[in-house]
PDB file of all heavy atoms in Angstrom:
ATOM      1  N   ASN A 115      84.004 139.744  97.193  1.00 85.00           N
ATOM      2  CA  ASN A 115      83.937 138.345  97.608  1.00 85.00           C
ATOM      3  C   ASN A 115      82.578 138.067  98.225  1.00 85.00           C
ATOM      4  O   ASN A 115      82.026 138.920  98.918  1.00 85.00           O
ATOM      5  CB  ASN A 115      85.010 138.067  98.672  1.00 85.00           C
ATOM      6  CG  ASN A 115      86.121 137.228  98.132  1.00 85.00           C
ATOM      7  OD1 ASN A 115      86.001 136.597  97.105  1.00 85.00           O
ATOM      8  ND2 ASN A 115      87.209 137.219  98.849  1.00 85.00           N
ATOM      9  N   PRO A 116      82.052 136.865  98.043  1.00 87.00           N
ATOM     10  CA  PRO A 116      80.758 136.551  98.649  1.00 87.00           C
ATOM     11  C   PRO A 116      80.842 136.281 100.156  1.00 87.00           C
ATOM     12  O   PRO A 116      79.830 136.119 100.801  1.00 87.00           O
ATOM     13  CB  PRO A 116      80.323 135.299  97.897  1.00 87.00           C
ATOM     14  CG  PRO A 116      81.587 134.668  97.439  1.00 87.00           C
ATOM     15  CD  PRO A 116      82.540 135.809  97.172  1.00 87.00           C
ATOM     16  N   PHE A 117      82.039 136.228 100.704  1.00 88.00           N
ATOM     17  CA  PHE A 117      82.209 135.982 102.138  1.00 88.00           C
ATOM     18  C   PHE A 117      83.126 137.042 102.721  1.00 88.00           C
ATOM     19  O   PHE A 117      83.872 137.698 102.016  1.00 88.00           O
ATOM     20  CB  PHE A 117      82.807 134.589 102.396  1.00 88.00           C
ATOM     21  CG  PHE A 117      84.226 134.455 101.930  1.00 88.00           C
ATOM     22  CD1 PHE A 117      85.284 134.705 102.800  1.00 88.00           C
ATOM     23  CD2 PHE A 117      84.528 134.100 100.633  1.00 88.00           C
ATOM     24  CE1 PHE A 117      86.602 134.606 102.369  1.00 88.00           C
ATOM     25  CE2 PHE A 117      85.834 133.995 100.199  1.00 88.00           C
ATOM     26  CZ  PHE A 117      86.871 134.248 101.069  1.00 88.00           C
ATOM     27  N   LYS A 118      83.049 137.199 104.010  1.00 86.00           N
ATOM     28  CA  LYS A 118      83.926 138.121 104.737  1.00 86.00           C
ATOM     29  C   LYS A 118      84.735 137.308 105.741  1.00 86.00           C
ATOM     30  O   LYS A 118      84.224 136.360 106.342  1.00 86.00           O
ATOM     31  CB  LYS A 118      83.110 139.180 105.492  1.00 86.00           C
ATOM     32  CG  LYS A 118      82.183 139.982 104.615  1.00 86.00           C
ATOM     33  CD  LYS A 118      82.958 140.916 103.727  1.00 86.00           C
ATOM     34  CE  LYS A 118      82.030 141.718 102.835  1.00 86.00           C
ATOM     35  NZ  LYS A 118      82.365 141.666 101.439  1.00 86.00           N
ATOM     36  N   ILE A 119      85.972 137.665 105.945  1.00 85.00           N
ATOM     37  CA  ILE A 119      86.832 136.937 106.876  1.00 85.00           C
ATOM     38  C   ILE A 119      86.247 137.005 108.291  1.00 85.00           C
ATOM     39  O   ILE A 119      86.426 136.084 109.092  1.00 85.00           O
ATOM     40  CB  ILE A 119      88.289 137.445 106.808  1.00 85.00           C
ATOM     41  CG1 ILE A 119      89.246 136.407 107.384  1.00 85.00           C
ATOM     42  CG2 ILE A 119      88.456 138.771 107.494  1.00 85.00           C
ATOM     43  CD1 ILE A 119      89.373 135.155 106.591  1.00 85.00           C
ATOM     44  N   SER A 120      85.495 138.046 108.575  1.00 86.00           N
ATOM     45  CA  SER A 120      84.882 138.190 109.906  1.00 86.00           C
ATOM     46  C   SER A 120      83.792 137.150 110.161  1.00 86.00           C
ATOM     47  O   SER A 120      83.342 137.001 111.298  1.00 86.00           O
ATOM     48  CB  SER A 120      84.309 139.594 110.069  1.00 86.00           C
ATOM     49  OG  SER A 120      83.318 139.836 109.088  1.00 86.00           O
ATOM     50  N   GLU A 121      83.372 136.423 109.130  1.00 88.00           N
ATOM     51  CA  GLU A 121      82.367 135.369 109.304  1.00 88.00           C
ATOM     52  C   GLU A 121      82.962 134.100 109.921  1.00 88.00           C
ATOM     53  O   GLU A 121      82.216 133.187 110.255  1.00 88.00           O
ATOM     54  CB  GLU A 121      81.732 135.022 107.957  1.00 88.00           C
ATOM     55  CG  GLU A 121      80.929 136.162 107.358  1.00 88.00           C
ATOM     56  CD  GLU A 121      80.366 135.812 106.001  1.00 88.00           C
ATOM     57  OE1 GLU A 121      81.080 136.022 104.999  1.00 88.00           O
ATOM     58  OE2 GLU A 121      79.225 135.328 105.948  1.00 88.00           O
ATOM     59  N   PHE A 122      84.278 134.081 110.066  1.00 91.00           N
ATOM     60  CA  PHE A 122      84.946 132.894 110.588  1.00 91.00           C
ATOM     61  C   PHE A 122      85.481 133.153 111.984  1.00 91.00           C
ATOM     62  O   PHE A 122      85.870 134.268 112.316  1.00 91.00           O
ATOM     63  CB  PHE A 122      86.104 132.486 109.673  1.00 91.00           C
ATOM     64  CG  PHE A 122      85.655 132.100 108.290  1.00 91.00           C
ATOM     65  CD1 PHE A 122      85.683 133.018 107.258  1.00 91.00           C
ATOM     66  CD2 PHE A 122      85.202 130.817 108.040  1.00 91.00           C
ATOM     67  CE1 PHE A 122      85.265 132.668 105.991  1.00 91.00           C
ATOM     68  CE2 PHE A 122      84.768 130.463 106.771  1.00 91.00           C
ATOM     69  CZ  PHE A 122      84.800 131.379 105.755  1.00 91.00           C
ATOM     70  N   THR A 123      85.525 132.108 112.777  1.00 91.00           N
ATOM     71  CA  THR A 123      86.118 132.166 114.109  1.00 91.00           C
ATOM     72  C   THR A 123      87.338 131.260 114.102  1.00 91.00           C
ATOM     73  O   THR A 123      87.205 130.049 113.945  1.00 91.00           O
ATOM     74  CB  THR A 123      85.125 131.678 115.177  1.00 91.00           C
ATOM     75  OG1 THR A 123      83.962 132.494 115.123  1.00 91.00           O
ATOM     76  CG2 THR A 123      85.756 131.735 116.560  1.00 91.00           C
ATOM     77  N   PRO A 124      88.537 131.821 114.245  1.00 90.00           N
ATOM     78  CA  PRO A 124      89.728 130.967 114.290  1.00 90.00           C
ATOM     79  C   PRO A 124      89.680 130.092 115.545  1.00 90.00           C
ATOM     80  O   PRO A 124      89.350 130.576 116.630  1.00 90.00           O
ATOM     81  CB  PRO A 124      90.894 131.951 114.365  1.00 90.00           C
ATOM     82  CG  PRO A 124      90.319 133.311 114.225  1.00 90.00           C
ATOM     83  CD  PRO A 124      88.850 133.228 114.381  1.00 90.00           C
ATOM     84  N   ILE A 125      89.993 128.810 115.382  1.00 90.00           N
ATOM     85  CA  ILE A 125      89.989 127.921 116.546  1.00 90.00           C
ATOM     86  C   ILE A 125      91.360 127.339 116.857  1.00 90.00           C
ATOM     87  O   ILE A 125      91.642 127.042 118.007  1.00 90.00           O
ATOM     88  CB  ILE A 125      88.936 126.797 116.420  1.00 90.00           C
ATOM     89  CG1 ILE A 125      89.125 125.986 115.145  1.00 90.00           C
ATOM     90  CG2 ILE A 125      87.537 127.385 116.494  1.00 90.00           C
ATOM     91  CD1 ILE A 125      88.222 124.780 115.034  1.00 90.00           C
ATOM     92  N   VAL A 126      92.209 127.195 115.849  1.00 88.00           N
ATOM     93  CA  VAL A 126      93.544 126.654 116.108  1.00 88.00           C
ATOM     94  C   VAL A 126      94.433 126.902 114.891  1.00 88.00           C
ATOM     95  O   VAL A 126      93.967 126.871 113.757  1.00 88.00           O
ATOM     96  CB  VAL A 126      93.483 125.137 116.440  1.00 88.00           C
ATOM     97  CG1 VAL A 126      93.034 124.314 115.247  1.00 88.00           C
ATOM     98  CG2 VAL A 126      94.817 124.627 116.965  1.00 88.00           C
ATOM     99  N   GLY A 127      95.695 127.180 115.138  1.00 86.00           N
ATOM    100  CA  GLY A 127      96.686 127.224 114.066  1.00 86.00           C
ATOM    101  C   GLY A 127      97.137 125.797 113.803  1.00 86.00           C
ATOM    102  O   GLY A 127      97.560 125.099 114.725  1.00 86.00           O
ATOM    103  N   LEU A 128      97.033 125.342 112.584  1.00 82.00           N
ATOM    104  CA  LEU A 128      97.351 123.953 112.271  1.00 82.00           C
ATOM    105  C   LEU A 128      98.807 123.736 111.883  1.00 82.00           C
ATOM    106  O   LEU A 128      99.418 122.768 112.271  1.00 82.00           O
ATOM    107  CB  LEU A 128      96.453 123.445 111.139  1.00 82.00           C
ATOM    108  CG  LEU A 128      94.961 123.391 111.446  1.00 82.00           C
ATOM    109  CD1 LEU A 128      94.191 122.932 110.220  1.00 82.00           C
ATOM    110  CD2 LEU A 128      94.703 122.467 112.623  1.00 82.00           C
ATOM    111  N   TYR A 129      99.351 124.646 111.094  1.00 79.00           N
ATOM    112  CA  TYR A 129     100.708 124.479 110.593  1.00 79.00           C
ATOM    113  C   TYR A 129     101.172 125.781 109.976  1.00 79.00           C
ATOM    114  O   TYR A 129     100.368 126.655 109.680  1.00 79.00           O
ATOM    115  CB  TYR A 129     100.787 123.346 109.558  1.00 79.00           C
ATOM    116  CG  TYR A 129      99.712 123.432 108.495  1.00 79.00           C
ATOM    117  CD1 TYR A 129      99.861 124.264 107.390  1.00 79.00           C
ATOM    118  CD2 TYR A 129      98.540 122.705 108.615  1.00 79.00           C
ATOM    119  CE1 TYR A 129      98.878 124.360 106.433  1.00 79.00           C
ATOM    120  CE2 TYR A 129      97.550 122.800 107.657  1.00 79.00           C
ATOM    121  CZ  TYR A 129      97.721 123.618 106.570  1.00 79.00           C
ATOM    122  OH  TYR A 129      96.730 123.726 105.619  1.00 79.00           O
ATOM    123  N   ASN A 130     102.465 125.901 109.796  1.00 80.00           N
ATOM    124  CA  ASN A 130     103.049 127.047 109.102  1.00 80.00           C
ATOM    125  C   ASN A 130     103.630 126.556 107.786  1.00 80.00           C
ATOM    126  O   ASN A 130     104.347 125.564 107.762  1.00 80.00           O
ATOM    127  CB  ASN A 130     104.169 127.683 109.932  1.00 80.00           C
ATOM    128  CG  ASN A 130     103.635 128.383 111.156  1.00 80.00           C
ATOM    129  OD1 ASN A 130     102.606 129.032 111.085  1.00 80.00           O
ATOM    130  ND2 ASN A 130     104.315 128.232 112.274  1.00 80.00           N
ATOM    131  N   MET A 131     103.321 127.267 106.723  1.00 73.00           N
ATOM    132  CA  MET A 131     103.861 126.928 105.406  1.00 73.00           C
ATOM    133  C   MET A 131     104.628 128.141 104.903  1.00 73.00           C
ATOM    134  O   MET A 131     104.046 129.205 104.718  1.00 73.00           O
ATOM    135  CB  MET A 131     102.738 126.568 104.431  1.00 73.00           C
ATOM    136  CG  MET A 131     101.993 125.313 104.832  1.00 73.00           C
ATOM    137  SD  MET A 131     100.600 124.970 103.763  1.00 73.00           S
ATOM    138  CE  MET A 131     101.419 124.077 102.463  1.00 73.00           C
ATOM    139  N   PRO A 132     105.931 127.993 104.720  1.00 77.00           N
ATOM    140  CA  PRO A 132     106.702 129.143 104.237  1.00 77.00           C
ATOM    141  C   PRO A 132     106.319 129.500 102.807  1.00 77.00           C
ATOM    142  O   PRO A 132     106.007 128.636 101.994  1.00 77.00           O
ATOM    143  CB  PRO A 132     108.149 128.655 104.313  1.00 77.00           C
ATOM    144  CG  PRO A 132     108.059 127.173 104.272  1.00 77.00           C
ATOM    145  CD  PRO A 132     106.750 126.800 104.892  1.00 77.00           C
ATOM    146  N   LEU A 133     106.325 130.782 102.538  1.00 73.00           N
ATOM    147  CA  LEU A 133     106.091 131.277 101.191  1.00 73.00           C
ATOM    148  C   LEU A 133     107.399 131.817 100.657  1.00 73.00           C
ATOM    149  O   LEU A 133     108.124 132.512 101.360  1.00 73.00           O
ATOM    150  CB  LEU A 133     105.028 132.375 101.198  1.00 73.00           C
ATOM    151  CG  LEU A 133     103.663 131.976 101.742  1.00 73.00           C
ATOM    152  CD1 LEU A 133     102.751 133.196 101.825  1.00 73.00           C
ATOM    153  CD2 LEU A 133     103.038 130.898 100.888  1.00 73.00           C
ATOM    154  N   VAL A 134     107.688 131.502  99.427  1.00 79.00           N
ATOM    155  CA  VAL A 134     108.941 131.916  98.821  1.00 79.00           C
ATOM    156  C   VAL A 134     108.637 132.622  97.513  1.00 79.00           C
ATOM    157  O   VAL A 134     107.844 132.150  96.707  1.00 79.00           O
ATOM    158  CB  VAL A 134     109.854 130.685  98.547  1.00 79.00           C
ATOM    159  CG1 VAL A 134     111.138 131.114  97.886  1.00 79.00           C
ATOM    160  CG2 VAL A 134     110.112 129.919  99.831  1.00 79.00           C
ATOM    161  N   MET A 135     109.255 133.762  97.318  1.00 76.00           N
ATOM    162  CA  MET A 135     109.112 134.473  96.054  1.00 76.00           C
ATOM    163  C   MET A 135     110.306 134.115  95.184  1.00 76.00           C
ATOM    164  O   MET A 135     111.449 134.209  95.624  1.00 76.00           O
ATOM    165  CB  MET A 135     109.073 135.982  96.279  1.00 76.00           C
ATOM    166  CG  MET A 135     108.860 136.757  95.017  1.00 76.00           C
ATOM    167  SD  MET A 135     108.693 138.502  95.408  1.00 76.00           S
ATOM    168  CE  MET A 135     109.529 139.199  94.011  1.00 76.00           C
ATOM    169  N   VAL A 136     110.034 133.683  93.972  1.00 77.00           N
ATOM    170  CA  VAL A 136     111.110 133.357  93.037  1.00 77.00           C
ATOM    171  C   VAL A 136     110.868 134.117  91.746  1.00 77.00           C
ATOM    172  O   VAL A 136     109.749 134.491  91.423  1.00 77.00           O
ATOM    173  CB  VAL A 136     111.188 131.835  92.747  1.00 77.00           C
ATOM    174  CG1 VAL A 136     111.538 131.068  93.990  1.00 77.00           C
ATOM    175  CG2 VAL A 136     109.917 131.315  92.132  1.00 77.00           C
ATOM    176  N   VAL A 137     111.934 134.357  91.037  1.00 74.00           N
ATOM    177  CA  VAL A 137     111.853 135.059  89.772  1.00 74.00           C
ATOM    178  C   VAL A 137     112.907 134.456  88.848  1.00 74.00           C
ATOM    179  O   VAL A 137     113.950 133.978  89.314  1.00 74.00           O
ATOM    180  CB  VAL A 137     112.071 136.588  89.972  1.00 74.00           C
ATOM    181  CG1 VAL A 137     113.451 136.894  90.494  1.00 74.00           C
ATOM    182  CG2 VAL A 137     111.779 137.351  88.704  1.00 74.00           C
ATOM    183  N   LYS A 138     112.608 134.447  87.564  1.00 75.00           N
ATOM    184  CA  LYS A 138     113.604 133.981  86.609  1.00 75.00           C
ATOM    185  C   LYS A 138     114.848 134.840  86.773  1.00 75.00           C
ATOM    186  O   LYS A 138     114.759 136.031  87.076  1.00 75.00           O
ATOM    187  CB  LYS A 138     113.051 134.093  85.191  1.00 75.00           C
ATOM    188  CG  LYS A 138     113.965 133.481  84.161  1.00 75.00           C
ATOM    189  CD  LYS A 138     113.323 133.501  82.790  1.00 75.00           C
ATOM    190  CE  LYS A 138     114.294 132.925  81.788  1.00 75.00           C
ATOM    191  NZ  LYS A 138     113.722 132.884  80.456  1.00 75.00           N
ATOM    192  N   GLU A 139     115.985 134.257  86.592  1.00 74.00           N
ATOM    193  CA  GLU A 139     117.252 134.957  86.829  1.00 74.00           C
ATOM    194  C   GLU A 139     117.277 136.315  86.120  1.00 74.00           C
ATOM    195  O   GLU A 139     117.042 136.420  84.922  1.00 74.00           O
ATOM    196  CB  GLU A 139     118.412 134.108  86.327  1.00 74.00           C
ATOM    197  CG  GLU A 139     119.749 134.676  86.697  1.00 74.00           C
ATOM    198  CD  GLU A 139     120.899 133.756  86.284  1.00 74.00           C
ATOM    199  OE1 GLU A 139     120.647 132.575  86.018  1.00 74.00           O
ATOM    200  OE2 GLU A 139     122.023 134.248  86.220  1.00 74.00           O
ATOM    201  N   ILE A 140     117.505 137.332  86.911  1.00 70.00           N
ATOM    202  CA  ILE A 140     117.599 138.703  86.396  1.00 70.00           C
ATOM    203  C   ILE A 140     118.941 139.257  86.864  1.00 70.00           C
ATOM    204  O   ILE A 140     119.289 139.154  88.032  1.00 70.00           O
ATOM    205  CB  ILE A 140     116.454 139.593  86.926  1.00 70.00           C
ATOM    206  CG1 ILE A 140     115.105 139.062  86.434  1.00 70.00           C
ATOM    207  CG2 ILE A 140     116.642 141.032  86.491  1.00 70.00           C
ATOM    208  CD1 ILE A 140     113.921 139.822  86.994  1.00 70.00           C
ATOM    209  N   ARG A 141     119.669 139.866  85.943  1.00 70.00           N
ATOM    210  CA  ARG A 141     120.960 140.457  86.308  1.00 70.00           C
ATOM    211  C   ARG A 141     120.828 141.421  87.474  1.00 70.00           C
ATOM    212  O   ARG A 141     119.897 142.211  87.527  1.00 70.00           O
ATOM    213  CB  ARG A 141     121.524 141.233  85.121  1.00 70.00           C
ATOM    214  CG  ARG A 141     122.490 140.492  84.285  1.00 70.00           C
ATOM    215  CD  ARG A 141     123.028 141.405  83.231  1.00 70.00           C
ATOM    216  NE  ARG A 141     121.892 142.187  82.689  1.00 70.00           N
ATOM    217  CZ  ARG A 141     121.932 142.913  81.620  1.00 70.00           C
ATOM    218  NH1 ARG A 141     123.044 143.029  80.958  1.00 70.00           N
ATOM    219  NH2 ARG A 141     120.885 143.562  81.192  1.00 70.00           N
ATOM    220  N   ASN A 142     121.735 141.350  88.380  1.00 72.00           N
ATOM    221  CA  ASN A 142     121.819 142.272  89.510  1.00 72.00           C
ATOM    222  C   ASN A 142     120.534 142.335  90.343  1.00 72.00           C
ATOM    223  O   ASN A 142     120.156 143.384  90.819  1.00 72.00           O
ATOM    224  CB  ASN A 142     122.179 143.681  89.021  1.00 72.00           C
ATOM    225  CG  ASN A 142     123.493 143.682  88.273  1.00 72.00           C
ATOM    226  OD1 ASN A 142     124.420 142.963  88.644  1.00 72.00           O
ATOM    227  ND2 ASN A 142     123.577 144.462  87.213  1.00 72.00           N
ATOM    228  N   SER A 143     119.869 141.220  90.473  1.00 78.00           N
ATOM    229  CA  SER A 143     118.647 141.186  91.272  1.00 78.00           C
ATOM    230  C   SER A 143     118.682 139.957  92.165  1.00 78.00           C
ATOM    231  O   SER A 143     118.205 138.896  91.795  1.00 78.00           O
ATOM    232  CB  SER A 143     117.422 141.152  90.354  1.00 78.00           C
ATOM    233  OG  SER A 143     116.253 141.185  91.104  1.00 78.00           O
ATOM    234  N   ASN A 144     119.268 140.127  93.351  1.00 81.00           N
ATOM    235  CA  ASN A 144     119.398 139.017  94.288  1.00 81.00           C
ATOM    236  C   ASN A 144     118.588 139.199  95.562  1.00 81.00           C
ATOM    237  O   ASN A 144     118.534 138.304  96.390  1.00 81.00           O
ATOM    238  CB  ASN A 144     120.874 138.807  94.658  1.00 81.00           C
ATOM    239  CG  ASN A 144     121.678 138.400  93.446  1.00 81.00           C
ATOM    240  OD1 ASN A 144     121.322 137.459  92.748  1.00 81.00           O
ATOM    241  ND2 ASN A 144     122.750 139.124  93.182  1.00 81.00           N
ATOM    242  N   THR A 145     117.962 140.351  95.730  1.00 85.00           N
ATOM    243  CA  THR A 145     117.125 140.612  96.895  1.00 85.00           C
ATOM    244  C   THR A 145     115.819 141.208  96.413  1.00 85.00           C
ATOM    245  O   THR A 145     115.700 141.660  95.270  1.00 85.00           O
ATOM    246  CB  THR A 145     117.789 141.608  97.871  1.00 85.00           C
ATOM    247  OG1 THR A 145     117.864 142.886  97.223  1.00 85.00           O
ATOM    248  CG2 THR A 145     119.180 141.142  98.299  1.00 85.00           C
ATOM    249  N   ILE A 146     114.831 141.249  97.290  1.00 84.00           N
ATOM    250  CA  ILE A 146     113.548 141.833  96.923  1.00 84.00           C
ATOM    251  C   ILE A 146     113.706 143.317  96.594  1.00 84.00           C
ATOM    252  O   ILE A 146     113.093 143.822  95.656  1.00 84.00           O
ATOM    253  CB  ILE A 146     112.476 141.597  98.015  1.00 84.00           C
ATOM    254  CG1 ILE A 146     111.096 142.048  97.538  1.00 84.00           C
ATOM    255  CG2 ILE A 146     112.843 142.298  99.303  1.00 84.00           C
ATOM    256  CD1 ILE A 146     110.516 141.245  96.422  1.00 84.00           C
ATOM    257  N   GLU A 147     114.579 144.003  97.325  1.00 88.00           N
ATOM    258  CA  GLU A 147     114.805 145.424  97.067  1.00 88.00           C
ATOM    259  C   GLU A 147     115.396 145.631  95.675  1.00 88.00           C
ATOM    260  O   GLU A 147     114.987 146.537  94.932  1.00 88.00           O
ATOM    261  CB  GLU A 147     115.728 146.031  98.130  1.00 88.00           C
ATOM    262  CG  GLU A 147     115.115 146.107  99.510  1.00 88.00           C
ATOM    263  CD  GLU A 147     115.180 144.786 100.290  1.00 88.00           C
ATOM    264  OE1 GLU A 147     115.852 143.824  99.841  1.00 88.00           O
ATOM    265  OE2 GLU A 147     114.527 144.714 101.337  1.00 88.00           O
ATOM    266  N   GLU A 148     116.383 144.794  95.303  1.00 86.00           N
ATOM    267  CA  GLU A 148     116.999 144.901  93.970  1.00 86.00           C
ATOM    268  C   GLU A 148     115.986 144.571  92.881  1.00 86.00           C
ATOM    269  O   GLU A 148     115.967 145.198  91.824  1.00 86.00           O
ATOM    270  CB  GLU A 148     118.206 143.967  93.871  1.00 86.00           C
ATOM    271  CG  GLU A 148     119.381 144.403  94.727  1.00 86.00           C
ATOM    272  CD  GLU A 148     120.495 143.372  94.773  1.00 86.00           C
ATOM    273  OE1 GLU A 148     120.325 142.251  94.247  1.00 86.00           O
ATOM    274  OE2 GLU A 148     121.555 143.678  95.354  1.00 86.00           O
ATOM    275  N   PHE A 149     115.126 143.595  93.138  1.00 83.00           N
ATOM    276  CA  PHE A 149     114.102 143.244  92.154  1.00 83.00           C
ATOM    277  C   PHE A 149     113.116 144.396  91.962  1.00 83.00           C
ATOM    278  O   PHE A 149     112.778 144.750  90.834  1.00 83.00           O
ATOM    279  CB  PHE A 149     113.347 141.975  92.563  1.00 83.00           C
ATOM    280  CG  PHE A 149     112.191 141.689  91.654  1.00 83.00           C
ATOM    281  CD1 PHE A 149     112.401 141.187  90.380  1.00 83.00           C
ATOM    282  CD2 PHE A 149     110.890 141.960  92.056  1.00 83.00           C
ATOM    283  CE1 PHE A 149     111.350 140.939  89.521  1.00 83.00           C
ATOM    284  CE2 PHE A 149     109.824 141.722  91.216  1.00 83.00           C
ATOM    285  CZ  PHE A 149     110.048 141.214  89.942  1.00 83.00           C
ATOM    286  N   ILE A 150     112.657 145.003  93.046  1.00 84.00           N
ATOM    287  CA  ILE A 150     111.717 146.126  92.950  1.00 84.00           C
ATOM    288  C   ILE A 150     112.351 147.284  92.198  1.00 84.00           C
ATOM    289  O   ILE A 150     111.726 147.895  91.322  1.00 84.00           O
ATOM    290  CB  ILE A 150     111.233 146.555  94.349  1.00 84.00           C
ATOM    291  CG1 ILE A 150     110.345 145.460  94.941  1.00 84.00           C
ATOM    292  CG2 ILE A 150     110.498 147.899  94.296  1.00 84.00           C
ATOM    293  CD1 ILE A 150     110.002 145.647  96.405  1.00 84.00           C
ATOM    294  N   ASP A 151     113.607 147.567  92.506  1.00 86.00           N
ATOM    295  CA  ASP A 151     114.325 148.636  91.794  1.00 86.00           C
ATOM    296  C   ASP A 151     114.415 148.327  90.309  1.00 86.00           C
ATOM    297  O   ASP A 151     114.129 149.177  89.470  1.00 86.00           O
ATOM    298  CB  ASP A 151     115.724 148.806  92.411  1.00 86.00           C
ATOM    299  CG  ASP A 151     116.458 149.991  91.811  1.00 86.00           C
ATOM    300  OD1 ASP A 151     115.873 151.106  91.790  1.00 86.00           O
ATOM    301  OD2 ASP A 151     117.609 149.795  91.380  1.00 86.00           O
ATOM    302  N   PHE A 152     114.764 147.089  89.972  1.00 83.00           N
ATOM    303  CA  PHE A 152     114.851 146.662  88.575  1.00 83.00           C
ATOM    304  C   PHE A 152     113.491 146.790  87.900  1.00 83.00           C
ATOM    305  O   PHE A 152     113.381 147.298  86.775  1.00 83.00           O
ATOM    306  CB  PHE A 152     115.337 145.220  88.475  1.00 83.00           C
ATOM    307  CG  PHE A 152     115.323 144.643  87.093  1.00 83.00           C
ATOM    308  CD1 PHE A 152     116.391 144.854  86.227  1.00 83.00           C
ATOM    309  CD2 PHE A 152     114.241 143.912  86.644  1.00 83.00           C
ATOM    310  CE1 PHE A 152     116.379 144.337  84.946  1.00 83.00           C
ATOM    311  CE2 PHE A 152     114.206 143.400  85.355  1.00 83.00           C
ATOM    312  CZ  PHE A 152     115.277 143.620  84.505  1.00 83.00           C
ATOM    313  N   ALA A 153     112.436 146.342  88.580  1.00 82.00           N
ATOM    314  CA  ALA A 153     111.090 146.384  88.004  1.00 82.00           C
ATOM    315  C   ALA A 153     110.651 147.823  87.736  1.00 82.00           C
ATOM    316  O   ALA A 153     110.072 148.124  86.697  1.00 82.00           O
ATOM    317  CB  ALA A 153     110.111 145.693  88.953  1.00 82.00           C
ATOM    318  N   LYS A 154     110.942 148.728  88.663  1.00 85.00           N
ATOM    319  CA  LYS A 154     110.577 150.136  88.471  1.00 85.00           C
ATOM    320  C   LYS A 154     111.320 150.746  87.296  1.00 85.00           C
ATOM    321  O   LYS A 154     110.746 151.465  86.488  1.00 85.00           O
ATOM    322  CB  LYS A 154     110.867 150.931  89.746  1.00 85.00           C
ATOM    323  CG  LYS A 154     109.880 150.670  90.859  1.00 85.00           C
ATOM    324  CD  LYS A 154     110.252 151.472  92.093  1.00 85.00           C
ATOM    325  CE  LYS A 154     109.266 151.247  93.223  1.00 85.00           C
ATOM    326  NZ  LYS A 154     109.656 151.971  94.446  1.00 85.00           N
ATOM    327  N   LYS A 155     112.626 150.461  87.208  1.00 85.00           N
ATOM    328  CA  LYS A 155     113.431 151.024  86.126  1.00 85.00           C
ATOM    329  C   LYS A 155     113.043 150.460  84.763  1.00 85.00           C
ATOM    330  O   LYS A 155     113.230 151.105  83.747  1.00 85.00           O
ATOM    331  CB  LYS A 155     114.918 150.763  86.386  1.00 85.00           C
ATOM    332  CG  LYS A 155     115.456 151.594  87.532  1.00 85.00           C
ATOM    333  CD  LYS A 155     116.926 151.250  87.782  1.00 85.00           C
ATOM    334  CE  LYS A 155     117.456 152.033  88.981  1.00 85.00           C
ATOM    335  NZ  LYS A 155     118.806 151.616  89.357  1.00 85.00           N
ATOM    336  N   ASN A 156     112.531 149.234  84.742  1.00 82.00           N
ATOM    337  CA  ASN A 156     112.222 148.574  83.482  1.00 82.00           C
ATOM    338  C   ASN A 156     110.726 148.440  83.231  1.00 82.00           C
ATOM    339  O   ASN A 156     110.294 147.692  82.343  1.00 82.00           O
ATOM    340  CB  ASN A 156     112.888 147.205  83.450  1.00 82.00           C
ATOM    341  CG  ASN A 156     114.397 147.326  83.405  1.00 82.00           C
ATOM    342  OD1 ASN A 156     114.960 147.589  82.357  1.00 82.00           O
ATOM    343  ND2 ASN A 156     115.031 147.192  84.550  1.00 82.00           N
TER     344      ASN A 156
END
């Protein structure tokens, strides 16, 4: 990257934005752990 995060000085937290992981419906995969297991096996 042409910049480093250390070049910035945080001054204020403005807001929180939740991040959500979604995946197309996969059999027997309702949690992140089940998805990782499925991904490794397949």
Side-chain angles (χ1 to χ4, degrees):
N115 252 343
F117 68 93
K118 303 289 180 232
I119 200 68
S120 60
E121 295 177 273
F122 297 96
T123 301
I125 56 174
V126 67
L128 296 177
Y129 48 82
N130 290 320
M131 295 175 86
L133 301 174
V134 179
M135 183 175 143
V136 296
V137 63
K138 187 175 178 178
E139 188 175 343
I140 297 176
R141 264 184 317 192
N142 302 323
S143 183
N144 296 308
T145 67
I146 188 67
E147 292 81 9
E148 291 172 353
F149 173 75
I150 291 170
D151 186 52
F152 174 85
K154 286 179 179 177
K155 289 178 183 173
N156 293 281

